[in-house]
């Protein structure tokens, strides 16, 4: 049962995920995946519940979470900006885009803005080399042949969307 | 059998052997840094590369199984150059502060650099920023020294099944650490020290207390009383070049006098005392329907383990303190009273094969009236260091004995140092007490020896209150084996009466505080030393120790009685971790 105080996190979904996976071999990554999908981040509490639930050491859960780029321990922003730094995008100036985004959002790669709106990530080749350099937002919006000049516009677009 | 050829020598080897194992068999040395024979074969360090005929690339010999007809070269120019290159890369991210390093002259990486003739480290690039831990009693971690061989991880996870540490992050940032990098003391670490014992460098090392010991010795106001654990006498010699298993009991006491301890005792005495208490506790449980199986409580790594992972089985744990704590308790009560000493002025010091003993000594329940049974616990390695610092020529020392009155001991006390020893010592006493007459054959071979994978079992027939009883006993060493045994008990599949557990493989002779290296072969030799020592002892049963008899008569009263419980028994609690992670 979820606590009704409003501050507590409802872990019933996590408990269900663990229950369905218990006893299966090599299930940890799937559980982490589902948990992150639902809760947005694999917080220490969530990792601890997974370790206890699957009866594996917390050190292994933490080790797995920190190994894979995909997993995060802090909640990501509402809009996750991913800059492709694959070879084609890189030679066409992706690193300049990374710098500009980091500068304008005032976050490092892997970080999230203090208002929780944007996360900045790099990604290795999204498979759209002809559009290089490519930027994606939430894996849905695709921006092609991006130049640093367009960055303000992209960010502003989402800010306005929020304001509305 | 497969026929292969190594460096021109024909060898017959068993299918499934690795090239490294085959080479070792015929005395061809291949350097390794991450390998632990029979335990870890992961090819991480790349030092064991060899040339296989017909194979364009060098292969890691520790992970490559032999194939019939294989021709291997272990020392071609290509092999030597490549190994040297690999080592240079390892060294490029390793501090070159060897002179001031704990492992100076005893470091595997340093030896390898000397062996391979590294004259310069040509690469200097980024340095990894791994953590440090100075807050834990049992060990000290300095990630900057780590070469990521993962031996500690394997010992902690595969052998001990504790899982306090694991690989984390990736690439250059990889490290072996606790979850969320909490200090080891805030993790499920039991302090067993098997990671320290297997670290090739000094990333994991003793949390030293040597300075405190020297200070106490130097202070004329403080009376220093020292004790030495059973197993140390068959291992300390290795620190001074003797073969594993060499018995150096007499030299230890002589060294202690030269270092300047005021009173010198033997934990073997307290091991006899433990047997008196534990043996009678066992008899009491059997006769009065107490919780069975009763499980020994001498090994503090084991006590931490059961308190953390099997709290429901704590009623099974003997309430007896360990010999270290019993000795400390008797030093500050019986001995102090007898000598007219103020227990507050006594500094009780122990020389232990064990890193976990440092934690046990600091448990708040281990003492009374504001003072601890044991004030400082140091490892075999630390004691060896003190001997060197004092410029005592250990090998030239005469054989001396401990002081009276709590120094006399028996073979039963001595065998506490090896897996199965507590059980055997307990049987030697308990069966005679139960049956009321002398028992001649007291060698319980079934519980002896190094069993790395599994449990030693024995059934001993006796008569309790006129009824025939088969006493079923089990002995396990290494926490992985202990875990399996505990799961069996939880599942109701075990019908043992009495179980001995020691946290470290082979028992205290393989303890986390013992000389490095401690390999399977060395463990075996140390065990031989223990049983040889036992055979040579004039008294081999704890209850026949005259000093123990006097102690009960003059001070304690009855074994397992009121006063004995006050001083020699303890209680346990469920240890919980990771509650306040951020």
């Amino acid at each position: 049962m979820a606590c009704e105080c409003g501050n507590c996190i409802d872990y019933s979904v996590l408990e269900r995920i663990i229950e369905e996976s218990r006893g299966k071999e090599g299930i940890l990554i799937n559980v982490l995946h589902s948990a992150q999908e639902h809760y947005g981040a694999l917080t220490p509490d969530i990792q601890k519940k997974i370790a206890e639930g699957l009866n594996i050491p917390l050190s292994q859960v933490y080790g797995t979470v920190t190994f894979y780029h995909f997993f995060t321990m802090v909640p990501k922003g509402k809009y996750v900006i991913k800059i492709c730094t694959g070879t084609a995008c890189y030679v066409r100036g992706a690193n300049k885009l990374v710098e500009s985004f980091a500068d304008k959002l005032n976050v490092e790669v892997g970080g999230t803005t203090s208002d929780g709106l944007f996360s900045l990530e790099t990604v290795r080749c999204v498979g759209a080399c002809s559009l290089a350099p490519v930027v994606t937002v939430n894996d849905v919006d695709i921006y092609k042949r991006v130049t640093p000049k367009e960055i303000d516009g992209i960010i502003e677009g989402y800010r306005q969307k929020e304001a509305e | 059998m497969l026929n292969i050829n190594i460096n021109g020598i024909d060898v017959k080897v068993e299918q499934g052997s690795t090239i490294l194992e085959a080479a070792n068999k015929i005395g061809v040395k291949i350097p390794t840094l991450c390998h632990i024979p029979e335990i870890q074969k992961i090819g991480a360090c790349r030092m064991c590369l060899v040339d296989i005929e017909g194979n364009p690339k060098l292969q890691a010999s520790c992970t490559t199984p032999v194939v019939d007809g294989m021709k291997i070269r272990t020392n071609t120019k290509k092999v030597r150059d490549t190994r040297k290159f690999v080592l240079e890369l390892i060294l490029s991210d390793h501090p070159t502060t060897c002179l001031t390093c704990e492992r100076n002259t005893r470091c595997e990486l340093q030896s390898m650099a000397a062996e391979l003739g590294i004259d310069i480290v040509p690469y200097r690039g980024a340095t990894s920023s791994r953590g440090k831990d100075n807050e834990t009693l049992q060990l000290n971690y300095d990630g900057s020294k780590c070469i990521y061989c993962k031996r500690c991880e394997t010992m902690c996870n595969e052998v001990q099944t504790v899982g306090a540490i694991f690989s984390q992050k990736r690439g250059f940032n990889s490290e072996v650490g606790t979850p969320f990098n909490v200090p080891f003391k805030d993790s499920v670490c039991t302090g067993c020290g098997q990671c320290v014992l297997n670290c090739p460098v000094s990333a994991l090392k003793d949390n030293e207390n040597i300075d405190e010991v020297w200070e106490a010795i130097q202070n004329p106001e403080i009376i220093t009383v020292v004790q030495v654990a059973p197993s140390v006498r068959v291992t300390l010699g290795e620190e001074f070049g003797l073969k594993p298993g060499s018995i150096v009991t007499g030299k230890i006491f002589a060294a202690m006098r030269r270092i300047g301890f005021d009173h010198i005792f033997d934990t073997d005495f307290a091991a006899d005392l433990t047997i008196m208490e534990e043996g009678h506790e066992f008899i009491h449980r059997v006769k009065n329907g107490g919780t069975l199986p009763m499980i020994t409580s001498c090994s503090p790594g084991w006590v931490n383990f059961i308190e953390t992972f099997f709290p429901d089985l704590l009623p099974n744990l003997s309430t007896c303190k360990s010999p270290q704590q019993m000795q400390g308790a008797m030093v500050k009560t019986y001995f102090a009273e007898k000598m007219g000493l103020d227990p507050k002025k006594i500094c009780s010091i122990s020389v232990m094969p064990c890193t976990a003993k440092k934690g046990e000594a600091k448990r708040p329940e281990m003492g009374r009236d504001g003072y601890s049974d044991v004030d400082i616990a140091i490892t075999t390695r630390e004691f060896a260091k003190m001997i060197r610092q004092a410029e005592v020529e250990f090998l030239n020392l005469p054989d001396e004995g401990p002081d009276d009155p709590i120094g006399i001991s028996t073979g039963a006390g001595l065998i506490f140092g090896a897996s199965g020893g507590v059980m055997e010592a307990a049987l030697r006493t308990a069966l005679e007490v139960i049956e009321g007459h002398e028992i001649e054959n007291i060698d319980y071979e079934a519980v002896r020896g190094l069993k790395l994978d599994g449990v030693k079992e024995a059934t001993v027939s006796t008569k309790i209150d006129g009824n025939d009883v088969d006493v079923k006993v089990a002995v396990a060493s290494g926490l992985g084996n202990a875990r399996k045994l505990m799961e069996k008990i939880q599942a109701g599949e075990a019908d043992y009466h009495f179980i001995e557990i020691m946290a470290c493989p082979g028992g205290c002779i393989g303890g986390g505080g013992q000389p490095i290296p401690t390999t399977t072969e060395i463990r075996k030799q140390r065990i031989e030393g223990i049983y040889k020592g036992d055979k040579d002892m004039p008294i081999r049963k704890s209850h026949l120790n005259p000093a123990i008899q006097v102690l009960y008569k003059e001070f304690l009263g009855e074994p397992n009685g009121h006063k004995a419980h006050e001083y020699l028994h303890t209680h346990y609690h469920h240890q919980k971790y990771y509650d306040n992670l951020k």
Side-chain angles (χ1 to χ4, degrees), chain A residues 42-45 47-48 52 55 57-70 73, chain B residues 157 162-171 177-181 483 487 577-579 581-582:
Chain A
L42 298 164
T43 60
D45 275 344
Q47 292 187 42
K48 201 182 153 194
E52 283 165 3
N55 195 23
L58 181 61
S59 61
Q60 286 187 27
V61 175
Y62 178 75
T64 309
V65 169
T66 55
F67 181 84
Y68 291 103
H69 193 70
F70 173 81
M73 292 195 279
Chain B
N157 288 273
V162 170
I165 50 174
F166 200 76
S167 287
Q168 47 185 256
K169 308 194 186 82
R170 70 188 306 167
T178 58
F180 303 91
N181 300 95
R483 179 183 287 276
E487 285 169 351
Y577 292 100
Y578 309 131
D579 275 346
L581 289 171
K582 282 190 187 85

Side-chain angles (χ1 to χ4, degrees), chain B residues 355-389:
Chain B
T355 45
K357 286 283 172 195
K358 288 174 187 279
E360 183 186 50
K362 297 286 179 219
R363 280 183 173 238
E365 65 272 21
M366 294 287 183
R368 74 206 54 75
D369 305 334
Y371 56 80
S372 308
D373 296 337
V374 172
D375 297 292
I376 311 170
I378 60 170
T379 62
T380 310
R381 295 187 292 267
E382 287 174 88
F383 183 53
K385 202 168 169 184
M386 285 188 73
I387 294 172
R388 287 192 288 269
Q389 286 174 346

